[in-house]
Amino acid sequence: MSIFRDREKREMPGLNTAALPDLIFTVLFFFMIVTHMRSVPLKVKYQVPAGTEITKLVKKSTVTFIYIGKADGKTRIQLNDKLATVDDVEAYVKAERQRMQPEDMKRQVVSIKADRETDMQVINEVKQALRRANAYTINYSATEKSEK
């Protein structure tokens, strides 16, 4: 009987939590590195077209994105987080260029992310506005076409 009484008198040792902050910060840094945050909430819906000659953009800090897709049943243009018209594209591209570093201004790339069903008239109007803004390097976003 005395064996059982000795066990009752002992207290459970406390849990050592010294390494817990290190573990938490390691997991936090892991998720910060692997998570891609979308900086612009999409207001237009677009389905990316497929292409055969796909290349990745090298320096994303020089890229200005223009989204073209369906919103409210019409084809709309989104610049940053607001819906806009073709007339707003020129001023938007110039303002984005002014925010860049001086050495990056010459390497500005405008990436058009357009729905595959977008009329070419809208694309051509956007391209004309980009010419007026002296933005001649244009990239069209697409996914790689799978070969069947």
Side-chain angles (χ1 to χ4, degrees), residues 6-8 12 19 34-37 39 49 52 56 64 74 82 92 96 105-106 108-109 113 119 126 135 145:
D6 288 341
R7 287 187 183 172
E8 289 177 13
M12 186 67 129
V34 299
T35 302
H36 173 70
M37 301 296 288
S39 59
T52 55
K56 286 197 175 248
T64 302
K74 299 187 285 186
K82 59 185 173 218
Y92 168 71
E96 288 292 313
M105 286 182 182
K106 298 174 199 131
Q108 182 185 25
V109 175
K113 292 189 172 193
D119 292 333
V126 169
K145 184 182 272 188

Side-chain angles (χ1 to χ4, degrees), residues 26-80:
T26 303
V27 171
L28 176 69
F29 286 130
F30 171 76
F31 284 114
M32 287 174 56
I33 290 171
V34 299
T35 302
H36 173 70
M37 301 296 288
R38 181 184 297 273
S39 59
V40 178
L42 290 179
K43 295 184 179 181
V44 296
K45 294 181 182 177
Y46 72 96
Q47 189 175 11
V48 181
T52 55
E53 300 294 323
I54 305 293
T55 58
K56 286 197 175 248
L57 295 173
V58 179
K59 191 169 184 184
K60 296 220 176 188
S61 63
T62 61
V63 179
T64 302
F65 292 99
I66 297 176
Y67 301 94
I68 304 173
K70 297 282 184 189
D72 304 328
K74 299 187 285 186
T75 300
R76 302 292 303 264
I77 299 170
Q78 179 179 339
L79 306 173
N80 277 342

